[in-house]
Amino acid sequence: MISVATFRLPGSALRRYPSQVMMSFTTLQQRNYKSTQAVERPEEESHFLLILGPPGGGKGTISKKMLKDFSSFHHVSTGDLLRQHVRQRTALGIKAKGYMDSGELVPDNLMIDLVMEDATPYLEAGQSLLLDGFPRTIEQAMALEKVTHIDVVVNLDVPTDTIVERLADRWIHPASGRVYSYSYNPPKVAGKDDITGEDLVQRDDDKPEAIRKRLESYANITAPLVKYYEDKGLARTFSGTKSDVIYPQVKKFLESTHFFS
């Protein structure tokens, strides 16, 4: 069986990193693909999985378990990726920071460029992409579909009270994005990152009142996105309070598909 994926890079991407885009196009030509717009690929090659879930809903934990069990995945956390580009002052990072500093949302096309710049080498190697954190709206989903095709959507449904309790206990290492929780994943030394020994911090938006506002906003914005993918027959929702209970269901579902078995 042959599945069809859209693998189009926008013109803006060509202007920003032409060598990488041309390398991608050349590779596709070498595989006897006549166009980058409707690329036929064997089932064992790249597929695209999106993981959705509220802040603190366990997307990171579930993603790590998936990476362990499905070695073909390359994980792209758009939040971590954006912070990395801003910290390293790349061309895309500088442009994104300009929007962030002015209080504006980073435009969809810029977020897609960030994702595709990171993902292209892995896609060329035949790896599958696990997207975490983007898209968050139907508009973003439609913009992403102009570049690539989503095969499967895993949606995590975790109660609000569980998330508030979980996030209020969360501390992070700002430079790397590593997350610790004193209730289930404590640092080896209190207040210090396990790898660098640098100080951990707690974000202001990890306070209970801020968390509830974020969850309300997420529900209002993302609920239509979940339905959008459900209507396409792509999304499956997994409910629970513990990642260790939810993940076996996710794994069984992915193994039942012809994409990730």
Side-chain angles (χ1 to χ4, degrees), residues 74-88 90 92-93 96 110-119 131-132:
H74 170 62
H75 181 215
V76 176
S77 170
T78 52
D80 291 346
L81 188 61
L82 179 59
R83 287 187 287 271
Q84 176 185 328
H85 275 266
V86 170
R87 186 171 61 250
Q88 295 178 350
T90 66
L92 291 174
L110 182 53
M111 288 302 301
I112 291 173
D113 285 354
L114 286 168
V115 169
M116 295 310 297
E117 180 181 77
D118 179 75
L131 283 176
D132 172 0

PDB file of all heavy atoms in Angstrom, residues 74-88 90 92-93 96 110-119 131-132:
ATOM      1  N   HIS A  74      10.846  11.240  15.588  1.00  0.00           N
ATOM      2  CA  HIS A  74      11.633  12.398  16.017  1.00  0.00           C
ATOM      3  C   HIS A  74      10.653  13.356  16.676  1.00  0.00           C
ATOM      4  O   HIS A  74       9.649  13.745  16.084  1.00  0.00           O
ATOM      5  CB  HIS A  74      12.318  13.079  14.828  1.00  0.00           C
ATOM      6  CG  HIS A  74      12.929  14.410  15.193  1.00  0.00           C
ATOM      7  ND1 HIS A  74      13.938  14.521  16.133  1.00  0.00           N
ATOM      8  CD2 HIS A  74      12.648  15.680  14.764  1.00  0.00           C
ATOM      9  CE1 HIS A  74      14.279  15.800  16.251  1.00  0.00           C
ATOM     10  NE2 HIS A  74      13.508  16.513  15.442  1.00  0.00           N
ATOM     11  N   HIS A  75      10.925  13.727  17.922  1.00  0.00           N
ATOM     12  CA  HIS A  75      10.014  14.557  18.708  1.00  0.00           C
ATOM     13  C   HIS A  75      10.306  16.034  18.472  1.00  0.00           C
ATOM     14  O   HIS A  75      11.444  16.481  18.614  1.00  0.00           O
ATOM     15  CB  HIS A  75      10.185  14.230  20.193  1.00  0.00           C
ATOM     16  CG  HIS A  75       9.275  14.998  21.096  1.00  0.00           C
ATOM     17  ND1 HIS A  75       9.653  15.408  22.350  1.00  0.00           N
ATOM     18  CD2 HIS A  75       7.994  15.435  20.927  1.00  0.00           C
ATOM     19  CE1 HIS A  75       8.661  16.055  22.921  1.00  0.00           C
ATOM     20  NE2 HIS A  75       7.641  16.087  22.083  1.00  0.00           N
ATOM     21  N   VAL A  76       9.274  16.793  18.113  1.00  0.00           N
ATOM     22  CA  VAL A  76       9.397  18.239  17.956  1.00  0.00           C
ATOM     23  C   VAL A  76       8.434  18.905  18.929  1.00  0.00           C
ATOM     24  O   VAL A  76       7.215  18.883  18.735  1.00  0.00           O
ATOM     25  CB  VAL A  76       9.077  18.695  16.519  1.00  0.00           C
ATOM     26  CG1 VAL A  76       9.131  20.223  16.427  1.00  0.00           C
ATOM     27  CG2 VAL A  76      10.053  18.087  15.536  1.00  0.00           C
ATOM     28  N   SER A  77       8.983  19.461  20.015  1.00  0.00           N
ATOM     29  CA  SER A  77       8.205  20.271  20.939  1.00  0.00           C
ATOM     30  C   SER A  77       8.369  21.720  20.485  1.00  0.00           C
ATOM     31  O   SER A  77       9.449  22.291  20.597  1.00  0.00           O
ATOM     32  CB  SER A  77       8.704  20.106  22.374  1.00  0.00           C
ATOM     33  OG  SER A  77       8.094  21.068  23.223  1.00  0.00           O
ATOM     34  N   THR A  78       7.300  22.297  19.957  1.00  0.00           N
ATOM     35  CA  THR A  78       7.449  23.626  19.360  1.00  0.00           C
ATOM     36  C   THR A  78       7.811  24.681  20.393  1.00  0.00           C
ATOM     37  O   THR A  78       8.517  25.631  20.084  1.00  0.00           O
ATOM     38  CB  THR A  78       6.152  24.028  18.626  1.00  0.00           C
ATOM     39  OG1 THR A  78       5.033  23.867  19.504  1.00  0.00           O
ATOM     40  CG2 THR A  78       5.945  23.175  17.393  1.00  0.00           C
ATOM     41  N   GLY A  79       7.340  24.501  21.639  1.00  0.00           N
ATOM     42  CA  GLY A  79       7.718  25.447  22.687  1.00  0.00           C
ATOM     43  C   GLY A  79       9.213  25.410  22.953  1.00  0.00           C
ATOM     44  O   GLY A  79       9.882  26.448  23.010  1.00  0.00           O
ATOM     45  N   ASP A  80       9.757  24.187  23.120  1.00  0.00           N
ATOM     46  CA  ASP A  80      11.201  24.045  23.343  1.00  0.00           C
ATOM     47  C   ASP A  80      11.991  24.537  22.138  1.00  0.00           C
ATOM     48  O   ASP A  80      13.043  25.169  22.279  1.00  0.00           O
ATOM     49  CB  ASP A  80      11.548  22.576  23.613  1.00  0.00           C
ATOM     50  CG  ASP A  80      11.016  22.082  24.945  1.00  0.00           C
ATOM     51  OD1 ASP A  80      10.613  22.926  25.772  1.00  0.00           O
ATOM     52  OD2 ASP A  80      10.982  20.852  25.146  1.00  0.00           O
ATOM     53  N   LEU A  81      11.484  24.226  20.945  1.00  0.00           N
ATOM     54  CA  LEU A  81      12.168  24.619  19.718  1.00  0.00           C
ATOM     55  C   LEU A  81      12.222  26.136  19.585  1.00  0.00           C
ATOM     56  O   LEU A  81      13.265  26.713  19.227  1.00  0.00           O
ATOM     57  CB  LEU A  81      11.451  24.008  18.516  1.00  0.00           C
ATOM     58  CG  LEU A  81      12.123  24.149  17.150  1.00  0.00           C
ATOM     59  CD1 LEU A  81      13.481  23.466  17.144  1.00  0.00           C
ATOM     60  CD2 LEU A  81      11.227  23.542  16.070  1.00  0.00           C
ATOM     61  N   LEU A  82      11.119  26.785  19.905  1.00  0.00           N
ATOM     62  CA  LEU A  82      11.066  28.246  19.828  1.00  0.00           C
ATOM     63  C   LEU A  82      12.045  28.868  20.819  1.00  0.00           C
ATOM     64  O   LEU A  82      12.807  29.786  20.467  1.00  0.00           O
ATOM     65  CB  LEU A  82       9.641  28.718  20.107  1.00  0.00           C
ATOM     66  CG  LEU A  82       9.396  30.225  20.084  1.00  0.00           C
ATOM     67  CD1 LEU A  82       9.764  30.816  18.725  1.00  0.00           C
ATOM     68  CD2 LEU A  82       7.939  30.525  20.420  1.00  0.00           C
ATOM     69  N   ARG A  83      12.050  28.360  22.045  1.00  0.00           N
ATOM     70  CA  ARG A  83      12.972  28.890  23.053  1.00  0.00           C
ATOM     71  C   ARG A  83      14.420  28.670  22.648  1.00  0.00           C
ATOM     72  O   ARG A  83      15.289  29.525  22.881  1.00  0.00           O
ATOM     73  CB  ARG A  83      12.684  28.244  24.417  1.00  0.00           C
ATOM     74  CG  ARG A  83      11.404  28.740  25.072  1.00  0.00           C
ATOM     75  CD  ARG A  83      11.266  28.209  26.476  1.00  0.00           C
ATOM     76  NE  ARG A  83      10.932  26.794  26.496  1.00  0.00           N
ATOM     77  CZ  ARG A  83       9.696  26.330  26.478  1.00  0.00           C
ATOM     78  NH1 ARG A  83       8.674  27.150  26.420  1.00  0.00           N
ATOM     79  NH2 ARG A  83       9.468  25.025  26.514  1.00  0.00           N
ATOM     80  N   GLN A  84      14.714  27.528  22.040  1.00  0.00           N
ATOM     81  CA  GLN A  84      16.069  27.228  21.594  1.00  0.00           C
ATOM     82  C   GLN A  84      16.535  28.218  20.527  1.00  0.00           C
ATOM     83  O   GLN A  84      17.659  28.744  20.597  1.00  0.00           O
ATOM     84  CB  GLN A  84      16.132  25.811  21.036  1.00  0.00           C
ATOM     85  CG  GLN A  84      17.477  25.420  20.450  1.00  0.00           C
ATOM     86  CD  GLN A  84      17.435  24.048  19.802  1.00  0.00           C
ATOM     87  OE1 GLN A  84      16.707  23.159  20.234  1.00  0.00           O
ATOM     88  NE2 GLN A  84      18.186  23.860  18.747  1.00  0.00           N
ATOM     89  N   HIS A  85      15.676  28.486  19.557  1.00  0.00           N
ATOM     90  CA  HIS A  85      16.044  29.427  18.496  1.00  0.00           C
ATOM     91  C   HIS A  85      16.227  30.833  19.041  1.00  0.00           C
ATOM     92  O   HIS A  85      17.147  31.558  18.619  1.00  0.00           O
ATOM     93  CB  HIS A  85      14.976  29.419  17.399  1.00  0.00           C
ATOM     94  CG  HIS A  85      15.173  28.335  16.384  1.00  0.00           C
ATOM     95  ND1 HIS A  85      15.845  28.537  15.202  1.00  0.00           N
ATOM     96  CD2 HIS A  85      14.800  27.029  16.385  1.00  0.00           C
ATOM     97  CE1 HIS A  85      15.857  27.414  14.510  1.00  0.00           C
ATOM     98  NE2 HIS A  85      15.242  26.481  15.207  1.00  0.00           N
ATOM     99  N   VAL A  86      15.377  31.239  19.982  1.00  0.00           N
ATOM    100  CA  VAL A  86      15.503  32.567  20.582  1.00  0.00           C
ATOM    101  C   VAL A  86      16.797  32.654  21.380  1.00  0.00           C
ATOM    102  O   VAL A  86      17.542  33.632  21.283  1.00  0.00           O
ATOM    103  CB  VAL A  86      14.290  32.875  21.481  1.00  0.00           C
ATOM    104  CG1 VAL A  86      14.528  34.147  22.291  1.00  0.00           C
ATOM    105  CG2 VAL A  86      13.024  33.026  20.635  1.00  0.00           C
ATOM    106  N   ARG A  87      17.088  31.600  22.149  1.00  0.00           N
ATOM    107  CA  ARG A  87      18.296  31.590  22.976  1.00  0.00           C
ATOM    108  C   ARG A  87      19.555  31.608  22.124  1.00  0.00           C
ATOM    109  O   ARG A  87      20.538  32.290  22.454  1.00  0.00           O
ATOM    110  CB  ARG A  87      18.271  30.345  23.874  1.00  0.00           C
ATOM    111  CG  ARG A  87      19.409  30.295  24.893  1.00  0.00           C
ATOM    112  CD  ARG A  87      19.193  29.166  25.892  1.00  0.00           C
ATOM    113  NE  ARG A  87      19.151  27.851  25.266  1.00  0.00           N
ATOM    114  CZ  ARG A  87      18.069  27.114  25.160  1.00  0.00           C
ATOM    115  NH1 ARG A  87      16.911  27.561  25.611  1.00  0.00           N
ATOM    116  NH2 ARG A  87      18.111  25.920  24.595  1.00  0.00           N
ATOM    117  N   GLN A  88      19.544  30.887  21.013  1.00  0.00           N
ATOM    118  CA  GLN A  88      20.710  30.808  20.135  1.00  0.00           C
ATOM    119  C   GLN A  88      20.779  31.957  19.131  1.00  0.00           C
ATOM    120  O   GLN A  88      21.726  32.042  18.359  1.00  0.00           O
ATOM    121  CB  GLN A  88      20.709  29.468  19.397  1.00  0.00           C
ATOM    122  CG  GLN A  88      20.869  28.275  20.321  1.00  0.00           C
ATOM    123  CD  GLN A  88      20.807  26.951  19.580  1.00  0.00           C
ATOM    124  OE1 GLN A  88      20.463  26.889  18.394  1.00  0.00           O
ATOM    125  NE2 GLN A  88      21.129  25.869  20.276  1.00  0.00           N
ATOM    126  N   THR A  90      19.176  32.580  16.383  1.00  0.00           N
ATOM    127  CA  THR A  90      19.161  32.237  14.963  1.00  0.00           C
ATOM    128  C   THR A  90      18.317  33.274  14.228  1.00  0.00           C
ATOM    129  O   THR A  90      17.609  34.084  14.843  1.00  0.00           O
ATOM    130  CB  THR A  90      18.549  30.841  14.734  1.00  0.00           C
ATOM    131  OG1 THR A  90      17.155  30.879  15.112  1.00  0.00           O
ATOM    132  CG2 THR A  90      19.269  29.783  15.568  1.00  0.00           C
ATOM    133  N   LEU A  92      15.624  32.823  12.504  1.00  0.00           N
ATOM    134  CA  LEU A  92      14.224  32.614  12.828  1.00  0.00           C
ATOM    135  C   LEU A  92      13.924  33.000  14.271  1.00  0.00           C
ATOM    136  O   LEU A  92      12.863  33.547  14.572  1.00  0.00           O
ATOM    137  CB  LEU A  92      13.847  31.146  12.589  1.00  0.00           C
ATOM    138  CG  LEU A  92      13.829  30.669  11.131  1.00  0.00           C
ATOM    139  CD1 LEU A  92      13.594  29.170  11.066  1.00  0.00           C
ATOM    140  CD2 LEU A  92      12.772  31.404  10.328  1.00  0.00           C
ATOM    141  N   GLY A  93      14.874  32.725  15.167  1.00  0.00           N
ATOM    142  CA  GLY A  93      14.687  33.061  16.574  1.00  0.00           C
ATOM    143  C   GLY A  93      14.608  34.556  16.808  1.00  0.00           C
ATOM    144  O   GLY A  93      13.807  35.038  17.613  1.00  0.00           O
ATOM    145  N   ALA A  96      11.246  35.693  15.658  1.00  0.00           N
ATOM    146  CA  ALA A  96      10.209  35.290  16.609  1.00  0.00           C
ATOM    147  C   ALA A  96      10.246  36.145  17.869  1.00  0.00           C
ATOM    148  O   ALA A  96       9.204  36.548  18.395  1.00  0.00           O
ATOM    149  CB  ALA A  96      10.382  33.816  16.972  1.00  0.00           C
ATOM    150  N   LEU A 110       5.731  31.370  10.566  1.00  0.00           N
ATOM    151  CA  LEU A 110       7.048  31.343  11.193  1.00  0.00           C
ATOM    152  C   LEU A 110       7.201  30.100  12.061  1.00  0.00           C
ATOM    153  O   LEU A 110       8.262  29.458  12.067  1.00  0.00           O
ATOM    154  CB  LEU A 110       7.261  32.612  12.034  1.00  0.00           C
ATOM    155  CG  LEU A 110       8.623  32.771  12.722  1.00  0.00           C
ATOM    156  CD1 LEU A 110       9.766  32.613  11.722  1.00  0.00           C
ATOM    157  CD2 LEU A 110       8.701  34.128  13.421  1.00  0.00           C
ATOM    158  N   MET A 111       6.137  29.713  12.776  1.00  0.00           N
ATOM    159  CA  MET A 111       6.188  28.494  13.576  1.00  0.00           C
ATOM    160  C   MET A 111       6.370  27.276  12.676  1.00  0.00           C
ATOM    161  O   MET A 111       7.136  26.359  13.010  1.00  0.00           O
ATOM    162  CB  MET A 111       4.903  28.356  14.394  1.00  0.00           C
ATOM    163  CG  MET A 111       4.769  29.337  15.547  1.00  0.00           C
ATOM    164  SD  MET A 111       6.131  29.225  16.740  1.00  0.00           S
ATOM    165  CE  MET A 111       6.007  27.522  17.264  1.00  0.00           C
ATOM    166  N   ILE A 112       5.694  27.259  11.547  1.00  0.00           N
ATOM    167  CA  ILE A 112       5.834  26.134  10.621  1.00  0.00           C
ATOM    168  C   ILE A 112       7.252  26.079  10.066  1.00  0.00           C
ATOM    169  O   ILE A 112       7.834  24.997   9.916  1.00  0.00           O
ATOM    170  CB  ILE A 112       4.798  26.246   9.488  1.00  0.00           C
ATOM    171  CG1 ILE A 112       3.395  25.996  10.058  1.00  0.00           C
ATOM    172  CG2 ILE A 112       5.088  25.242   8.378  1.00  0.00           C
ATOM    173  CD1 ILE A 112       2.272  26.251   9.078  1.00  0.00           C
ATOM    174  N   ASP A 113       7.839  27.243   9.766  1.00  0.00           N
ATOM    175  CA  ASP A 113       9.225  27.270   9.295  1.00  0.00           C
ATOM    176  C   ASP A 113      10.174  26.687  10.346  1.00  0.00           C
ATOM    177  O   ASP A 113      11.107  25.946  10.025  1.00  0.00           O
ATOM    178  CB  ASP A 113       9.649  28.698   8.963  1.00  0.00           C
ATOM    179  CG  ASP A 113       9.056  29.188   7.647  1.00  0.00           C
ATOM    180  OD1 ASP A 113       8.419  28.387   6.945  1.00  0.00           O
ATOM    181  OD2 ASP A 113       9.241  30.376   7.322  1.00  0.00           O
ATOM    182  N   LEU A 114       9.934  27.030  11.615  1.00  0.00           N
ATOM    183  CA  LEU A 114      10.762  26.491  12.695  1.00  0.00           C
ATOM    184  C   LEU A 114      10.669  24.970  12.744  1.00  0.00           C
ATOM    185  O   LEU A 114      11.681  24.276  12.856  1.00  0.00           O
ATOM    186  CB  LEU A 114      10.319  27.082  14.040  1.00  0.00           C
ATOM    187  CG  LEU A 114      10.695  28.529  14.348  1.00  0.00           C
ATOM    188  CD1 LEU A 114       9.928  29.029  15.569  1.00  0.00           C
ATOM    189  CD2 LEU A 114      12.187  28.653  14.587  1.00  0.00           C
ATOM    190  N   VAL A 115       9.431  24.468  12.661  1.00  0.00           N
ATOM    191  CA  VAL A 115       9.213  23.021  12.718  1.00  0.00           C
ATOM    192  C   VAL A 115       9.899  22.325  11.549  1.00  0.00           C
ATOM    193  O   VAL A 115      10.615  21.328  11.726  1.00  0.00           O
ATOM    194  CB  VAL A 115       7.706  22.695  12.720  1.00  0.00           C
ATOM    195  CG1 VAL A 115       7.478  21.195  12.515  1.00  0.00           C
ATOM    196  CG2 VAL A 115       7.069  23.146  14.029  1.00  0.00           C
ATOM    197  N   MET A 116       9.690  22.832  10.344  1.00  0.00           N
ATOM    198  CA  MET A 116      10.209  22.154   9.164  1.00  0.00           C
ATOM    199  C   MET A 116      11.721  22.249   9.061  1.00  0.00           C
ATOM    200  O   MET A 116      12.378  21.330   8.566  1.00  0.00           O
ATOM    201  CB  MET A 116       9.550  22.717   7.907  1.00  0.00           C
ATOM    202  CG  MET A 116       8.047  22.452   7.827  1.00  0.00           C
ATOM    203  SD  MET A 116       7.581  20.716   8.116  1.00  0.00           S
ATOM    204  CE  MET A 116       8.391  19.906   6.726  1.00  0.00           C
ATOM    205  N   GLU A 117      12.305  23.353   9.553  1.00  0.00           N
ATOM    206  CA  GLU A 117      13.767  23.451   9.546  1.00  0.00           C
ATOM    207  C   GLU A 117      14.370  22.367  10.433  1.00  0.00           C
ATOM    208  O   GLU A 117      15.356  21.725  10.081  1.00  0.00           O
ATOM    209  CB  GLU A 117      14.233  24.828  10.031  1.00  0.00           C
ATOM    210  CG  GLU A 117      15.757  24.962  10.023  1.00  0.00           C
ATOM    211  CD  GLU A 117      16.218  26.311  10.535  1.00  0.00           C
ATOM    212  OE1 GLU A 117      16.204  26.503  11.770  1.00  0.00           O
ATOM    213  OE2 GLU A 117      16.595  27.165   9.721  1.00  0.00           O
ATOM    214  N   ASP A 118      13.755  22.166  11.593  1.00  0.00           N
ATOM    215  CA  ASP A 118      14.243  21.139  12.516  1.00  0.00           C
ATOM    216  C   ASP A 118      13.966  19.732  11.980  1.00  0.00           C
ATOM    217  O   ASP A 118      14.781  18.827  12.129  1.00  0.00           O
ATOM    218  CB  ASP A 118      13.569  21.315  13.878  1.00  0.00           C
ATOM    219  CG  ASP A 118      14.010  20.272  14.885  1.00  0.00           C
ATOM    220  OD1 ASP A 118      15.145  20.378  15.394  1.00  0.00           O
ATOM    221  OD2 ASP A 118      13.229  19.337  15.152  1.00  0.00           O
ATOM    222  N   ALA A 119      12.811  19.547  11.341  1.00  0.00           N
ATOM    223  CA  ALA A 119      12.359  18.203  10.984  1.00  0.00           C
ATOM    224  C   ALA A 119      12.921  17.669   9.681  1.00  0.00           C
ATOM    225  O   ALA A 119      13.039  16.446   9.508  1.00  0.00           O
ATOM    226  CB  ALA A 119      10.835  18.181  10.914  1.00  0.00           C
ATOM    227  N   LEU A 131       4.719  15.691  16.639  1.00  0.00           N
ATOM    228  CA  LEU A 131       4.536  17.124  16.872  1.00  0.00           C
ATOM    229  C   LEU A 131       3.850  17.354  18.213  1.00  0.00           C
ATOM    230  O   LEU A 131       2.807  16.770  18.496  1.00  0.00           O
ATOM    231  CB  LEU A 131       3.686  17.739  15.764  1.00  0.00           C
ATOM    232  CG  LEU A 131       4.364  18.005  14.421  1.00  0.00           C
ATOM    233  CD1 LEU A 131       3.332  18.522  13.418  1.00  0.00           C
ATOM    234  CD2 LEU A 131       5.490  19.006  14.570  1.00  0.00           C
ATOM    235  N   ASP A 132       4.429  18.246  19.017  1.00  0.00           N
ATOM    236  CA  ASP A 132       3.923  18.525  20.356  1.00  0.00           C
ATOM    237  C   ASP A 132       3.848  20.042  20.523  1.00  0.00           C
ATOM    238  O   ASP A 132       4.874  20.716  20.528  1.00  0.00           O
ATOM    239  CB  ASP A 132       4.874  17.887  21.378  1.00  0.00           C
ATOM    240  CG  ASP A 132       4.557  18.265  22.814  1.00  0.00           C
ATOM    241  OD1 ASP A 132       3.604  19.016  23.064  1.00  0.00           O
ATOM    242  OD2 ASP A 132       5.290  17.808  23.711  1.00  0.00           O
TER     243      ASP A 132
END
